[in-house]
């Protein structure tokens, strides 16, 4: 769980750094907007499998707790 959270934090930190770099770039605004959209899409795609994995771990953990409670 901690590894998955750390990985998501790294992905987010990388995205934040790239977004900041893009904001500081002096290129045309229309190009910056397109690149920002591409960057956000890539960020979402990179995060999605890890978020799904965390959701699955949460589901399993919750199911296990509920199962143990029904045994007692």
């Amino acid at each position: 769980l901690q590894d998955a959270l750390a990985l998501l934090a790294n992905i987010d930190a990388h995205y934040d750094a790239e977004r900041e770099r893009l904001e500081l770039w002096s290129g045309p605004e229309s190009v910056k907007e397109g690149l920002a959209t591409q960057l956000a899409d890539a960020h979402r795609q990179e995060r999605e499998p890890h978020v799904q994995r965390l959701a699955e771990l949460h589901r399993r953990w919750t199911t296990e707790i509920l199962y143990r409670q029904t045994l007692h």
Side-chain angles (χ1 to χ4, degrees):
L1 181 61
Q2 289 179 346
D3 289 345
L5 291 172
L7 183 57
L8 283 173
N10 286 341
I11 290 169
D12 290 344
H14 176 74
Y15 169 74
D16 289 342
E18 289 297 313
R19 191 184 63 210
E20 185 175 325
R21 211 172 99 202
L22 181 58
E23 288 174 7
L24 295 174
W25 181 53
S26 62
E29 197 60 37
S30 61
V31 174
K32 286 172 72 170
E33 289 172 7
L35 291 172
T37 299
Q38 289 176 9
L39 183 60
D41 289 345
H43 178 240
R44 260 190 308 281
Q45 287 178 343
E46 188 175 5
R47 283 185 100 246
E48 186 61 28
H50 306 291
V51 170
Q52 288 179 359
R53 177 69 179 139
L54 280 173
E56 176 62 21
L57 289 171
H58 181 265
R59 186 194 62 77
R60 287 183 185 182
W61 183 67
T62 303
T63 301
E64 179 68 24
I65 288 172
L66 292 173
Y67 176 73
R68 287 182 184 183
Q69 288 176 352
T70 59
L71 292 178
H72 297 300

